[in-house]
């Protein structure tokens, strides 16, 4: 999977979120890993699972690393082994192990164990998934948190430190205050754009072969639905996969995604209305709205009917595809029409004002 390949350069890019915090607060590289890993040329071609050539980069940019989420950690907090040079004892990184940071709220070693547990019991975990087969398809931490996730879009509000003045009314050290200010603001805001969320989930949920292995419908139609179209055109206000399947606002987390057949799911018949009506979405939505609205387009429901034992003929499927394509075409014509028309209008306008000013010159 391309993402796994990408992740091999994780470290280099795990440095990528530039929190911009002053480097002096971080520990120095007392393990001396960067003595070698600071060289940009460090890398070679290896093979991926399918025996295709894959570039491996062993270079770690120190500045970026130190400014990253994990920049306070020593390399060995994640990389077990690596006692020998050349390394013959490198172990795969386990995201759920204890690291040497302390959680200041308890004083105990910090770890991502709680998240791992949530994930295990979710639709994406070995305890919560419906089948025991093809477990390799289930997303692990590294599948969802690759380079891209680390490249958190610097929210303008955070970048401009708009509210830090409030903190500085009381806290006198600017450096100290900036550190906590950034921490809280990053944590309290979502970091992926809607487009990125859709791309993340679609990587698997639009993969026909993978979804067939799990007896699930492909979320093909999503980009043809209202929510999908709006996201493609950059609308951040409209619902993305997580706003419906794990809305933070209602206390869900992306690590606890469940099937809609599970009563606790926010898209289950029990909770659907509440989810549609959440703040910022369809306030005042009624039962009918929630039960009738189709979020995933028709091809998907054809698969659903088929599984429920209802006959869906090839002809019907072909017809649905045809309708979807037609809708797509109409969209395109409309867009060309509207944009083209606008352009034409501008041109005529320009021509008219030129003419008017020329004529004005004669008088
Ligand atoms: C003397 C130089 C040197 C030092 C010091 C060093 N490394 Fe490396 N490391 C290398 C080289 C060279 C490679 C690439 C080896 C290869 O081609 O497989 C490498 C590869 C790696 C890999 C990838 C291995 C794999 O096959 O997946 C990891 C992880 C790694 N180093 C971590 C560390 C850590 C952590 C430290 C500090 C504790 C460290 N290295 C110290 C030279 C060094
Ligand atoms: C937060 C955990 C974490 C920390 C801290 C960390 N790494 Fe990594 N590193 C990873 C993960 C995850 C991978 C991907 C390979 C894997 O899953 O085992 C990786 C991969 C690597 C690779 C191999 C890249 C490849 O293409 O295979 C090197 C080299 C490396 N790390 C060096 C370092 C060095 C040097 C440091 C310290 C400056 C460091 N890492 C700190 C998590 C970490
Ligand atoms: C199915 C994809 C997926 C998997 C698997 C996944 N995460 Fe996440 N994770 C996300 C998304 C999406 C966010 C929200 C980030 C955002 O707001 O952009 C997130 C957020 C986080 C956060 C920030 C705190 C929070 O809840 O917002 C941490 C820490 C985290 N994940 C760690 C992990 C660890 C550790 C694992 C493995 C045990 C893991 N994740 C597995 C998708 C995933
Ligand atoms: C009205 C004054 C005031 C403002 C404004 C204020 N703080 Fe505080 N803050 C305090 C006081 C007093 C304490 C210590 C008492 C306590 O722990 O409740 C504290 C404690 C903290 C702590 C915990 C420190 C520790 O080690 O226990 C953090 C972190 C913090 N503030 C960050 C912020 C940030 C970030 C802002 C701005 C968003 C902010 N504060 C705004 C007065 C203020
Ligand atoms: C690495 C691949 C991968 C990624 C990324 C991924 N999923 Fe999944 N997802 C799966 C697989 C495989 C299953 C089926 C597990 C099983 O066999 O029960 C699944 C199951 C689900 C289910 C439950 C289906 C059911 O009826 O049991 C939902 C809902 C879901 N995913 C939503 C999401 C959302 C939302 C995202 C993005 C945050 C996402 N997935 C990201 C692979 C992935
Ligand atoms: C507007 C809300 C909404 C959005 C946005 C949304 N979904 Fe769904 N999704 C639902 C609902 C509701 C269901 C339950 C079946 C139904 O009513 O069609 C569902 C069903 C599913 C299923 C079938 C398994 C199950 O739990 O029934 C998967 C897989 C899934 N969605 C993945 C995704 C992915 C991936 C995205 C983003 C590309 C996404 N969804 C976007 C609301 C949404």
């Amino acid at each position: 999977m391309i993402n796994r390949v990408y992740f091999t350069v994780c470290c280099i890019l795990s440095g990528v979120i530039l929190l911009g915090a002053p480097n002096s607060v971080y520990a120095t590289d007392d393990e001396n890993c960067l003595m070698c890993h600071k060289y940009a040329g460090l890398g070679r071609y290896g093979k991926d699972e399918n025996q295709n050539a894959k570039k491996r980069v062993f270079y770690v940019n120190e500045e970026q690393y130190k400014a990253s989420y994990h920049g306070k950690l020593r390399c060995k907090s994640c990389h077990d082994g690596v006692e020998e040079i050349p390394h013959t004892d490198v172990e795969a990184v386990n995201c759920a192990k204890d690291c040497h940071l302390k959680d200041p709220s308890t004083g105990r070693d910090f770890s991502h164990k709680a998240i791992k547990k949530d994930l295990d019991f979710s639709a994406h975990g070995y305890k919560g998934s419906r089948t025991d087969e093809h477990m390799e398809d289930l997303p692990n931490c590294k599948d969802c948190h690759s380079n891209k996730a680390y490249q958190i879009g610097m929210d303008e509000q955070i970048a401009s430190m708009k509210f830090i003045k409030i903190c500085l009314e009381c806290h006198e050290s600017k450096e100290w205050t900036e550190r906590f200010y950034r921490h809280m603001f990053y944590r309290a805001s979502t970091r992926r754009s809607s487009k990125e969320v859709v791309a993340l989930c679609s990587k698997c949920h639009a993969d026909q072969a993978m979804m067939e292995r799990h007896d699930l419908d492909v979320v093909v139609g999503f980009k043809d639905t209202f929510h999908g179209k709006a996201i493609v055109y950059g609308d951040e206000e409209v619902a993305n996969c997580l706003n419906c399947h794990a809305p933070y606002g209602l206390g869900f987390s992306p690590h606890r995604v469940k099937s809609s057949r599970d009563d606790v799911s926010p898209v289950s018949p029990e909770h659907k209305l509440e989810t549609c009506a959440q703040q910022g979405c369809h306030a005042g939505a009624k039962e009918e709205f929630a039960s009738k609205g189709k979020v995933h387009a028709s091809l998907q429901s054809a698969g659903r009917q088929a599984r429920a034992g209802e006959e869906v003929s090839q002809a019907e499927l072909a017809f649905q595809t045809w309708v979807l394509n037609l809708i797509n075409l109409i969209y395109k014509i409309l867009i060309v029409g509207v944009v083209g028309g606008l352009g034409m209008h501008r041109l005529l306008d320009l021509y008219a004002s030129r003419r008017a000013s020329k004529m004005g010159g004669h008088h």
Side-chain angles (χ1 to χ4, degrees):
M1 190 175 295
I2 217 77
N3 190 51
R4 294 212 174 108
V5 177
Y6 267 128
F7 198 80
T8 50
V9 287
C10 116
C11 278
I12 305 94
L13 288 151
S14 84
V16 162
I17 353 123
L18 289 157
L19 288 176
N23 289 339
S24 55
V25 291
Y26 301 107
T28 46
D29 176 33
D30 55 9
E31 303 163 300
N32 269 325
C33 307
L34 293 175
M35 184 176 84
C36 300
H37 286 280
K38 72 178 175 200
Y39 291 105
L42 205 60
R44 67 174 160 79
Y45 278 93
K47 294 242 160 78
D48 68 8
E49 309 91 269
N50 304 322
Q51 298 302 308
N52 297 318
K54 143 182 126 174
K55 194 173 178 187
R56 301 191 61 194
V57 180
F58 302 126
Y59 160 62
V60 177
N61 180 308
E62 187 173 1
E63 287 305 302
Q64 289 182 343
Y65 177 76
K66 284 186 171 164
S68 76
Y69 276 141
H70 294 125
K72 269 184 157 184
L73 298 178
R74 294 169 165 190
C75 310
K76 281 196 178 173
S77 349
C78 294
H79 290 291
D80 280 323
V82 208
E83 301 293 338
E84 288 151 27
I85 288 175
H87 321 315
T88 48
D89 54 346
V90 179
E91 290 172 31
V93 172
N94 168 10
C95 303
K97 76 177 239 200
D98 284 340
C99 65
H100 293 101
L101 283 182
K102 301 271 181 229
D103 172 352
S105 74
T106 58
R108 286 198 291 272
D109 282 349
F110 179 77
S111 88
H112 290 308
K113 278 199 186 94
I115 293 179
K116 173 80 169 59
K117 198 166 157 212
D118 278 348
L119 187 67
D120 287 347
F121 284 97
S122 78
H124 290 136
Y126 74 102
K127 288 193 169 130
S129 68
R130 290 166 302 133
T131 53
D132 290 337
E133 283 155 36
H134 299 291
M135 303 304 268
E136 72 283 1
D137 290 338
L138 297 178
N140 63 36
C141 316
K142 294 175 241 169
D143 285 320
C144 290
H145 296 286
S146 54
N147 304 348
K148 203 55 190 152
Y150 284 111
Q151 290 172 17
I152 286 162
M154 179 77 88
D155 185 76
E156 273 172 27
Q157 214 168 61
I158 305 171
S160 69
M161 298 243 160
K162 204 167 159 191
F163 299 111
I164 197 164
K165 288 195 201 77
I166 303 174
C167 320
L168 291 170
E169 295 280 342
C170 298
H171 297 295
E172 289 177 33
S173 159
K174 195 152 181 274
E175 194 180 311
W176 184 96
T177 310
E178 274 190 6
R179 184 169 146 221
F180 287 108
Y181 179 87
R182 283 180 204 275
H183 178 79
M184 289 174 191
F185 270 77
Y186 267 118
R187 291 316 179 176
S189 53
T190 52
R191 284 133 279 158
R192 278 171 225 246
S193 66
S194 282
K195 248 188 176 164
E196 286 168 324
V197 170
V198 170
L200 171 68
C201 310
S202 303
K203 195 171 61 185
C204 298
H205 285 281
D207 179 336
Q208 181 98 40
M210 186 194 287
M211 288 301 111
E212 261 166 27
R213 287 200 287 276
H214 294 268
D215 193 24
L216 269 179
D217 299 310
V218 176
V219 187
V220 276
F222 185 69
K223 64 180 177 13
D224 297 304
T225 65
F226 167 73
H227 295 106
K229 275 265 182 296
I231 288 170
V232 171
Y233 294 113
D235 188 345
E236 280 296 320
E237 299 296 312
V238 87
N240 66 45
C241 320
L242 288 171
N243 297 136
C244 295
H245 286 278
Y248 269 116
L250 299 178
F252 293 90
S253 131
H255 307 118
R256 290 197 300 264
V257 170
K258 297 267 163 113
S259 161
S260 64
R261 286 178 305 281
D262 196 320
D263 291 353
V264 303
S265 162
V267 292
S268 64
E270 287 83 350
H271 293 108
K272 223 164 136 182
L273 177 59
E274 208 184 315
T275 304
C276 299
Q278 66 183 293
Q279 207 190 358
C281 297
H282 306 283
K286 294 272 163 2
E287 194 56 51
E288 213 196 345
F289 175 88
S291 55
K292 282 220 179 113
K294 268 262 161 281
V295 254
H296 295 295
S298 52
L299 268 183
Q300 194 205 13
S301 59
R304 187 177 297 278
Q305 285 165 19
R307 275 216 313 282
E310 293 167 35
E311 252 337 287
V312 179
S313 65
Q314 273 320 102
E316 202 174 325
L317 213 63
F319 177 69
Q320 291 185 349
T321 317
W322 182 78
V323 171
L324 272 183
N325 288 341
L326 188 71
I327 295 173
N328 250 333
L329 185 72
I330 294 173
Y331 256 111
K332 279 183 192 144
I333 293 173
L334 271 175
I335 289 166
V336 171
V338 171
V339 174
L342 267 176
M344 205 57 184
H345 181 257
R346 291 279 306 154
L347 274 178
L348 284 173
D349 214 34
L350 202 69
Y351 175 71
S353 61
R354 283 258 169 102
R355 234 176 89 133
S357 66
K358 256 195 197 151
M359 273 155 64
H362 279 291
H363 283 269

